[in-house]
Amino acid sequence: MKLYQVDSFTKEVFRGNPAAVCIVDRELSEAQMQSIALEMNLSETAFVRLGEESCDLRWFTPAREVPLCGHATLASAFVLFEEGYWNKTEPIIFNTLSGQLIVTKNSNGSLSMDFPSTIPNKADEDINKIEKLFGGEVIETLRIPGELIVILKNPEDLFSTDPDSGVIASLAKNGVIVSVWCGNEQYDFASRYFAPNLGIKEDPVTGFMHTILTPYWANRKGQDSFKALQASSRSGDLWLTLKGDRVVITGNAVKVFESNFDF
């Protein structure tokens, strides 16, 4: 089985979000895929089974399978296009737990992913507790199943926060998304994602959370296109466009290494 490690949402190695991509050439059990993901110990390991018109795609964290993952989808498409598994002029259709996801390769080398958007609902949280956790003023809190979304007032608080993982784990089944409006020449908004319950203290760059934040910020700011920063230590850049009930996420990727994985 071919195994690739790819850094997503970056043009530089050792930045962005690393994902493992396994090109599955035989049937694997869920236990085997989970063991491989644990061994890789990255935020996600993707398993791709090639087809003639579409590909099956699954994602596993070190702790469990997840229904949607942006950076590992980007990494998977990058591998298929760049390693000769798929015609670069044809979009890739991935069959996933979140339905069909379509990825296209752009003329500038970036990749665009067409994902379903999710509208968060307002949440009635203990604001004092949340402000103490993140060390800054909170504008509002929201939820989708499994996730808490916290909107901060000041970018400096987002960049400097170092929340307690034990408290984070008690707030949501999966993780806590934190976002702030920047509104400068570099970025429209910035975010971070903390998910200790998924085996990830902080995810470097998270595609799926931008399917939530894009419609949120579009509603608040009256615009449908954004440049976003994920402000982790590795950092990553995303270009986002809201199109009806879909979000197009565009980013770059770079291969770190490839290997053969036999077990």
Side-chain angles (χ1 to χ4, degrees):
M1 182 172 66
K2 289 292 294 186
L3 169 68
Y4 300 86
Q5 185 161 318
V6 174
D7 288 341
S8 295
F9 297 115
T10 181
K11 294 181 179 179
E12 303 176 48
V13 294
F14 312 133
R15 298 186 69 83
N17 200 351
V21 178
C22 299
I23 306 299
V24 178
D25 55 8
R26 62 184 176 86
E27 193 70 30
L28 295 176
S29 68
E30 289 188 2
Q32 287 174 316
M33 288 187 281
Q34 187 64 72
S35 294
I36 293 169
L38 181 59
E39 181 70 16
M40 294 306 299
N41 199 33
L42 299 172
S43 55
E44 263 87 16
T45 297
F47 297 87
V48 182
R49 181 177 286 276
L50 301 172
E52 291 187 5
E53 297 183 355
S54 64
C55 299
D56 295 335
L57 175 61
R58 297 175 72 174
W59 311 277
F60 286 77
T61 76
R64 68 172 81 124
E65 185 173 12
V66 293
L68 184 63
C69 176
H71 86 277
T73 302
L74 189 73
S76 298
F78 176 84
V79 167
L80 296 192
F81 284 131
E82 298 302 320
E83 300 300 323
Y85 294 102
W86 204 265
N87 187 331
K88 293 182 180 181
T89 65
E90 298 294 329
I92 304 172
I93 300 174
F94 288 115
N95 305 308
T96 78
L97 291 178
S98 292
Q100 288 192 332
L101 307 177
I102 301 172
V103 185
T104 56
K105 184 176 175 63
N106 302 313
S107 59
N108 64 1
S110 65
L111 301 174
S112 292
M113 305 181 291
D114 185 331
F115 280 13
S117 68
T118 302
I119 307 297
N121 297 311
K122 289 188 178 294
D124 184 20
E125 301 294 325
D126 183 339
I127 296 298
N128 290 332
K129 176 181 178 180
I130 302 298
E131 289 184 338
K132 181 179 179 181
L133 176 65
F134 292 106
E137 184 177 346
V138 172
I139 294 176
E140 64 179 324
T141 58
L142 308 103
R143 282 194 180 273
I144 67 165
E147 314 288 343
L148 172 66
I149 301 101
V150 176
I151 307 299
L152 296 178
K153 181 177 180 180
N154 299 310
E156 296 79 9
D157 296 329
L158 176 83
F159 299 143
S160 64
T161 191
D162 184 21
D164 183 279
S165 292
V167 179
I168 291 286
S170 71
L171 293 175
K173 178 182 177 181
N174 294 333
V176 178
I177 298 165
V178 189
S179 188
V180 68
W181 185 254
C182 299
N184 56 41
E185 292 183 358
Q186 285 186 297
Y187 300 103
D188 293 296
F189 66 87
S191 310
R192 295 173 70 180
Y193 182 55
F194 304 93
N197 289 335
L198 296 177
I200 311 162
K201 176 177 170 56
E202 180 176 359
D203 195 36
V205 195
T206 315
F208 98 88
M209 79 177 186
H210 289 88
T211 66
I212 305 163
L213 295 173
T214 300
Y216 170 80
W217 286 118
N219 183 60
R220 284 187 62 91
K221 299 298 180 178
Q223 65 187 75
D224 57 15
S225 294
F226 306 89
K227 184 179 181 184
L229 168 70
Q230 188 138 347
S232 66
S233 59
R234 291 176 63 105
S235 76
D237 296 329
L238 308 92
W239 288 262
L240 309 161
T241 303
L242 182 65
K243 292 186 175 182
D245 62 354
R246 309 287 294 185
V247 175
V248 177
I249 303 174
T250 299
N252 296 98
V254 59
K255 182 172 73 174
V256 180
F257 68 81
E258 65 178 273
S259 182
N260 291 304
F261 191 82
D262 297 314
F263 63 99

